[in-house]
C-alpha cells in the first residue's frame, strides 16, 4: 500500500473549529458544507483546494462540535492533516473517516501556503519539498491507523464482521 | 506505588483490567449511549449492511427534541419519521420526542446516568455526565460501532484538577466562575485530559449548576469534566435511577498532572467574546465597548435550569425589555418548563414581552428558530459561540443569566450588578 501523501499546503493557525469546516445549516451534507468550508479562516480554501492538498495547522485543530467534519475535507480531496495538536473528537473521527491526522510541534511554522508537502502515513515523516525542511510527527494511535488502512471504520468493520453477533 | 484517579479507576473497572495508566488504550463496556441525531448512525448501519440488532436496546437514549422543539423543515420532519420507523424495527427503548428538551439534561434528570459508569454521546458536550461522578465523553463517528458491540476504546486521560475554594461575591454565578476557569485553563489546556473539579465551592452547588462546569470541560479540550459525588449528588439521583451504583473517588494519593487553585471570591462577572468560549474577559470591560444586543437568550445546556430562570427574573423584576432587543426564554426540559409554570415565571416572562419557547437547546446553533440577521449580536447563557454555528454571523457573547437579563433591559452589554 502506498502510504506517501503529497500535495500543496494550506496553512492555518490555532483553534480552527469543526463548525468552520462543516457549518450548521448545511444539513451536514459534505457537498453543501464544502461551499463554505474554512471560509472564516481562509476565504480561498473552499474554491481553490485541489485533491491531494494537505492542511497544515497549529494547536487544537478541529476542536468544538463532534460533527464528522472530516467528511467535508475528504469530499474536497484533502489527503492528510498535519497540526501541532488536534481536537480529541476530531482526531478520532477523522482517522475513522479515512483521513490521517498527524501531530507535530510547531509544524505550521515550517510551511507557507502553497509549499509542497510530503507525509508518509506509515512513518509520520514530514517533508517540505519546497524548502527541504523535515519533521517527525508523533506516532498515531495504532488502532486508528489500522482502521484507516482498511479504508476507514465502515470498511474495517466489514473486514471483521464475524466479531459482531449483531451483524448477519 | 501511587494511587489512581477516579477516571483511571472507572476505566479499569469497566475495561475489566486491574489498573490503567494515562496513555494506555483500554476497551470498556459502555453503560449508556446518548444520541440526538440518530440518522448519523442509521445511515452508517445501512452502509455496513446486515445489522440484525443493537447490542442492548436498553442502553441507547435517543433525544430527538434536543436541537429542535418542532420539525424545522419538511426534510427534518421526514428524517424524524424515518427514525421513528427505525425505533420500532430495532426496539430502541428510550426515545424522547419533540418538546421533551435538551438531551444532556434529560440524561441526568431521567436517571440514565449513574456514578462510576461509562457513557458516550454523539455530541461533544457529553462531558456533562461527569457532573454526577460518571465517566462521560463524546465519540460521534464511532457510535455506530459502539451500538453493535457495546464497547468503546479510550486513551486513558491524565487528570488535571481545578480546585475551587471561597464564596462568590454578589452577582457572580456558577457560569461566571466556569468562564473564569475557561480563561485560566484555555481552549486546549486540558486536551485529551480529565478535568477534576474539586473544592468547597463546587460541592456547594446544585447538580444543575455543576453541569455547567462538566459540560464546559470540552471547551478546554477535555475528555470529561469529573466531579466527585457527594450528598447533593445522591439526593439528586434518589428516585431518578432505580439501578444500583457505586460511587468512585480519586485515591487520596493519586497524581494530578496539574492543579489550578482558584479563589472564587475574587471572580467578577465574566463574558466570553467571539470567536470561542475560552476568550473570556470581564463584563465591565466589554461594557465600555458599548455593544448593542439584538437577541438575548436564556437557555441552552449551560443556562436552562430553573435556577437560571430565577436569576434572570431577579434582574428583570420591575424592569422593561429594551425595544431593540428580543429576549428568548428556552427551558432545558419539559420538567423545567413545568417548574417555571409552578413558580409563575412563565407568566412573568411573557407579561414583560419575552418569548417563551418549548424546551430544547434554543438558538445555540441555528437548528430550529431564533436565527440572527447579518451583523446581529446575540448574548446567551448557552455554551458556544464559534464561527459556523450561526450562518455567516459570529457576533455571539456568552455569559450568566444575570448578564443576559441585564443586556435585555439595557439593549447592550452591561455589568448586571447594578440591578441587584
Amino acid at each position: 500500500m502506498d502510504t506517501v501523501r503529497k500535495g500543496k499546503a494550506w496553512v492555518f493557525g490555532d483553534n480552527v473549529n469543526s463548525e468552520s469546516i462543516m457549518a450548521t445549516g448545511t444539513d451536514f451534507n459534505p457537498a453543501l458544507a464544502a461551499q463554505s468550508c474554512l471560509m472564516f479562516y481562509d476565504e480561498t480554501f473552499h474554491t481553490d483546494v485541489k485533491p491531494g492538498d494537505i492542511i497544515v495547522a497549529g494547536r487544537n485543530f478541529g476542536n468544538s462540535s463532534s460533527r464528522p467534519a472530516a467528511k467535508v475535507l475528504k469530499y474536497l480531496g484533502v489527503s492528510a492533516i498535519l497540526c501541532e495538536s488536534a481536537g480529541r473528537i476530531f482526531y478520532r473521527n477523522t482517522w475513522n473517516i479515512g483521513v490521517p491526522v498527524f501531530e507535530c510541534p510547531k509544524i505550521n511554522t515550517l510551511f507557507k501556503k502553497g509549499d509542497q508537502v510530503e507525509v508518509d502515513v506509515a512513518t509520520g515523516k514530514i517533508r517540505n519539498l519546497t524548502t527541504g525542511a523535515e519533521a517527525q510527527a508523533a506516532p498515531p494511535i495504532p488502532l486508528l491507523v489500522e482502521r484507516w488502512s482498511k479504508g476507514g471504520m465502515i470498511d474495517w468493520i466489514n473486514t471483521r464482521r464475524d466479531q459482531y453477533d449483531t451483524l448477519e | 506505588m501511587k494511587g489512581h484517579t477516579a477516571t483511571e479507576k472507572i476505566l479499569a473497572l469497566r475495561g475489566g483490567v486491574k489498573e490503567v495508566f494515562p496513555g494506555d488504550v483500554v476497551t470498556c463496556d459502555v453503560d449508556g449511549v446518548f444520541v440526538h441525531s440518530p440518522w448519523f448512525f442509521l445511515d452508517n448501519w445501512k452502509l455496513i449492511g446486515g445489522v440484525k440488532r443493537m447490542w442492548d436496546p436498553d442502553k441507547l437514549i435517543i433525544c430527538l427534541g434536543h436541537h429542535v422543539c418542532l420539525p424545522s423543515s419538511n426534510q427534518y420532519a421526514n428524517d424524524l419519521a424515518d427514525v421513528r420507523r427505525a425505533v420500532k424495527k430495532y426496539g430502541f427503548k428510550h426515545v424522547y420526542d419533540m418538546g421533551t428538551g435538551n438531551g444532556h439534561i434529560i440524561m441526568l434528570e431521567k436517571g440514565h446516568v449513574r456514578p462510576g459508569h461509562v457513557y458516550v454521546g454523539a455530541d461533544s458536550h457529553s462531558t456533562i455526565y461527569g457532573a454526577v461522578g460518571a465517566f462521560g465523553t463524546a465519540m460521534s463517528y464511532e457510535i455506530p460501532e459502539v451500538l453493535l458491540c457495546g464497547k468503546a476504546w479510550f486513551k486513558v486521560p491524565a487528570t488535571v484538577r481545578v480546585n475551587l475554594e471561597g464564596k462568590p461575591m454578589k452577582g457572580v454565578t456558577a457560569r461566571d466562575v466556569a468562564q473564569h476557569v475557561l480563561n485560566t485553563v484555555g481552549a486546549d489546556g486540558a486536551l485529551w485530559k480529565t478535568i477534576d473539579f474539586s473544592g468547597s465551592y463546587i460541592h456547594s452547588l446544585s447538580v444543575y449548576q455543576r453541569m455547567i462546569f462538566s459540560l464546559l470541560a470540552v471547551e478546554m479540550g477535555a475528555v470529561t469534566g469529573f466531579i466527585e459525588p457527594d450528598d447533593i449528588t445522591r439526593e439528586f439521583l434518589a428516585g431518578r435511577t432505580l439501578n444500583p451504583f457505586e460511587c468512585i473517588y480519586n485515591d487520596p494519593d493519586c497524581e494530578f498532572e496539574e492543579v489550578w487553585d482558584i479563589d472564587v471570591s475574587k471572580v467578577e462577572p465574566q463574558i466570553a467574546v467571539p470567536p470561542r468560549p475560552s476568550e473570556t474577559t470581564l463584563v465591565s470591560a466589554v461594557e465600555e465597548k458599548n455593544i448593542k444586543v439584538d437577541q438575548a437568550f436564556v437557555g441552552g445546556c449551560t443556562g436552562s435550569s430553573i435556577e437560571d430562570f430565577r436569576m434572570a427574573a431577579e434582574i428583570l423584576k420591575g424592569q422593561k425589555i429594551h425595544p431593540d432587543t428580543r429576549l428568548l426564554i428556552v427551558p432545558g426540559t419539559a420538567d423545567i418548563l413545568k417548574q417555571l409554570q409552578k413558580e409563575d415565571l412563565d407568566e412573568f416572562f411573557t407579561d414583560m414581552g419575552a418569548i417563551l419557547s418549548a424546551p430544547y437547546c434554543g438558538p445555540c446553533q441555528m437548528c430550529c428558530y431564533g436565527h440572527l440577521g447579518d451583523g446581529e449580536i446575540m448574548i446567551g447563557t448557552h455554551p458556544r459561540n464559534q464561527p459556523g454555528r450561526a450562518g455567516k454571523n459570529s457576533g455571539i457573547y456568552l455569559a450568566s443569566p444575570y448578564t443576559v437579563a441585564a443586556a435585555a433591559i439595557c439593549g447592550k452589554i452591561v455589568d448586571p450588578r447594578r440591578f441587584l
Side-chain angles (χ1 to χ4, degrees):
Chain A
M1 178 183 189
D2 181 16
T3 57
V4 176
R5 298 287 176 270
K6 273 185 206 175
K8 196 177 67 178
W10 289 87
V11 182
F12 295 91
D14 296 338
N15 294 314
V16 170
N17 59 306
S18 61
E19 298 96 332
S20 70
I21 300 168
M22 181 184 248
T24 304
T26 60
D27 292 334
F28 299 151
N29 172 332
L32 206 56
Q35 295 170 19
S36 60
C37 184
L38 287 165
M39 61 179 270
F40 282 97
Y41 300 100
D42 185 333
E43 286 184 356
T44 64
F45 179 83
H46 69 286
T47 51
D48 295 357
V49 65
K50 296 278 185 300
D53 285 357
I54 290 174
I55 287 174
V56 183
R59 285 159 51 172
N60 207 17
F61 186 81
N63 74 90
S64 194
S65 165
S66 68
R67 65 197 60 195
K71 286 173 85 169
V72 186
L73 301 175
K74 192 176 183 181
Y75 172 85
L76 289 168
V78 170
S79 68
I81 296 158
L82 316 177
C83 53
E84 178 151 355
S85 60
R88 171 186 160 273
I89 312 165
F90 178 84
Y91 183 89
R92 292 182 70 136
N93 282 350
T94 303
W95 279 99
N96 273 290
I97 287 166
V99 180
V101 187
F102 283 96
E103 296 181 315
C104 184
K106 306 282 173 206
I107 190 68
N108 61 341
T109 63
L110 285 189
F111 289 89
K112 286 203 174 67
K113 184 176 174 177
D115 285 355
Q116 283 294 313
V117 193
E118 181 185 276
V119 56
D120 186 338
V121 183
T123 62
K125 184 97 182 160
I126 299 166
R127 291 169 65 197
N128 184 332
L129 300 176
T130 307
T131 66
E134 293 191 354
Q136 177 63 49
I141 297 170
L143 69 85
L144 288 174
V145 181
E146 191 203 330
R147 292 173 184 201
W148 169 83
S149 71
K150 305 284 191 243
M153 181 189 73
I154 305 282
D155 293 335
W156 169 77
I157 290 171
N158 279 321
T159 61
R160 57 194 295 277
R161 292 182 69 95
D162 58 342
Q163 304 285 310
Y164 303 90
D165 60 9
T166 47
L167 292 180
E168 280 169 2
Chain B
M1 203 175 80
K2 285 233 157 55
H4 286 290
T5 65
T7 288
E8 290 158 20
K9 288 162 75 174
I10 294 171
L11 294 181
L13 183 70
R14 305 303 289 145
V17 293
K18 191 166 162 278
E19 57 182 348
V20 295
F21 296 91
D24 290 354
V25 170
V26 60
T27 300
C28 296
D29 289 332
V30 169
D31 299 294
V33 180
F34 165 70
V35 162
H36 51 46
S37 310
W39 35 91
F40 279 124
F41 85 77
L42 291 169
D43 285 352
N44 279 327
W45 273 12
K46 272 185 206 150
L47 290 175
I48 294 163
V51 175
K52 287 187 290 187
R53 59 186 176 85
M54 181 196 155
W55 112 89
D56 181 353
D58 197 32
K59 300 273 172 65
L60 173 64
I61 297 92
I62 299 177
C63 296
L64 298 173
H66 182 85
H67 281 141
V68 299
C69 59
L70 285 168
S72 52
S73 66
N74 169 257
Q75 180 63 48
Y76 211 105
N78 288 338
D79 290 347
L80 289 168
D82 286 346
V83 168
R84 292 186 194 108
R85 277 189 285 274
V87 166
K88 284 205 177 115
K89 181 178 171 188
Y90 294 109
F92 301 138
K93 293 207 171 98
H94 307 285
V95 182
Y96 296 89
D97 214 310
M98 295 298 96
T100 52
N102 181 301
H104 292 308
I105 307 176
I106 288 172
M107 285 286 286
L108 290 151
E109 268 185 352
K110 297 299 182 189
H112 293 296
V113 182
R114 286 177 284 163
H117 288 67
V118 171
Y119 300 88
V120 296
D123 185 279
S124 57
H125 289 130
S126 305
T127 54
I128 191 174
Y129 312 133
V132 294
F135 178 85
T137 195
M139 287 185 55
S140 187
Y141 192 75
E142 294 166 90
I143 292 290
E145 207 256 340
V146 174
L147 295 175
L148 294 177
C149 65
K151 292 178 187 299
W153 68 272
F154 304 103
K155 187 170 98 172
V156 178
T159 298
V160 297
R161 172 163 267 193
V162 173
N163 192 33
L164 299 157
E165 294 289 350
K167 288 207 166 90
M169 60 179 93
K170 195 174 178 185
V172 172
T173 71
R175 182 57 185 270
D176 295 298
V177 177
Q179 285 300 142
H180 177 73
V181 172
L182 257 72
N183 190 38
T184 306
V185 175
D188 62 352
L191 193 56
W192 286 93
K193 291 168 191 168
T194 290
I195 301 180
D196 182 276
F197 295 102
S198 66
S200 60
Y201 174 73
I202 203 86
H203 288 285
S204 74
L205 298 175
S206 72
V207 168
Y208 283 98
Q209 298 297 299
R210 294 178 193 190
M211 290 181 201
I212 298 172
F213 289 84
S214 292
L215 186 136
L216 289 173
V218 75
E219 309 302 343
M220 298 170 266
V223 177
T224 194
F226 185 82
I227 300 171
E228 288 189 329
D230 58 13
D231 287 345
I232 291 173
T233 321
R234 276 181 279 270
E235 197 180 316
F236 175 84
L237 291 169
R240 296 185 196 271
T241 179
L242 299 172
N243 294 313
F245 61 83
E246 193 183 331
C247 295
I248 293 182
Y249 304 92
N250 297 297
D251 286 338
D253 57 344
C254 74
E255 199 165 345
F256 297 110
E257 193 182 80
E258 198 164 351
V259 178
W260 283 278
D261 285 307
I262 290 174
D263 181 353
V264 172
S265 70
K266 295 209 167 70
V267 176
E268 298 207 36
Q270 307 277 314
I271 186 165
V273 302
R276 68 186 66 88
S278 59
E279 290 294 312
T280 292
T281 184
L282 296 176
V283 178
S284 55
V286 174
E287 177 171 349
E288 288 170 16
K289 295 182 179 163
N290 198 31
I291 292 166
K292 300 262 194 300
V293 169
D294 300 286
Q295 181 160 289
F297 161 44
V298 185
C301 39
T302 43
S304 59
S305 72
I306 191 64
E307 295 149 10
D308 297 306
F309 296 115
R310 286 179 194 143
M311 283 187 246
E314 199 183 332
I315 296 277
L316 289 163
K317 202 171 180 190
Q319 304 290 340
K320 282 190 176 134
I321 298 172
H322 192 276
D324 295 337
T325 304
R326 52 189 184 269
L327 173 61
L328 271 61
I329 301 289
V330 188
T333 64
D335 284 359
I336 296 169
L337 173 59
K338 270 187 228 160
Q339 188 61 33
L340 265 181
Q341 290 163 335
K342 212 181 268 180
E343 298 182 19
D344 292 331
L345 284 170
D346 55 337
E347 201 179 327
F348 169 82
F349 287 123
T350 47
D351 275 355
M352 69 185 312
I355 302 152
L356 175 62
S357 158
Y360 79 115
C361 291
C364 174
Q365 17 184 2
M366 309 293 162
C367 289
C368 190
Y369 55 69
H371 290 58
L372 297 177
D374 291 343
E376 281 196 331
I377 300 288
M378 175 164 93
I379 184 170
T381 56
H382 58 296
R384 282 205 169 124
N385 62 345
Q386 287 93 334
R389 294 180 74 81
K392 289 178 188 165
N393 202 305
S394 54
I396 299 168
Y397 294 76
L398 311 171
S400 76
Y402 283 154
T403 305
V404 172
I409 297 164
C410 297
K412 59 181 188 170
I413 295 169
V414 297
D415 192 317
R417 288 177 290 187
R418 75 195 60 188
F419 293 108
L420 288 169

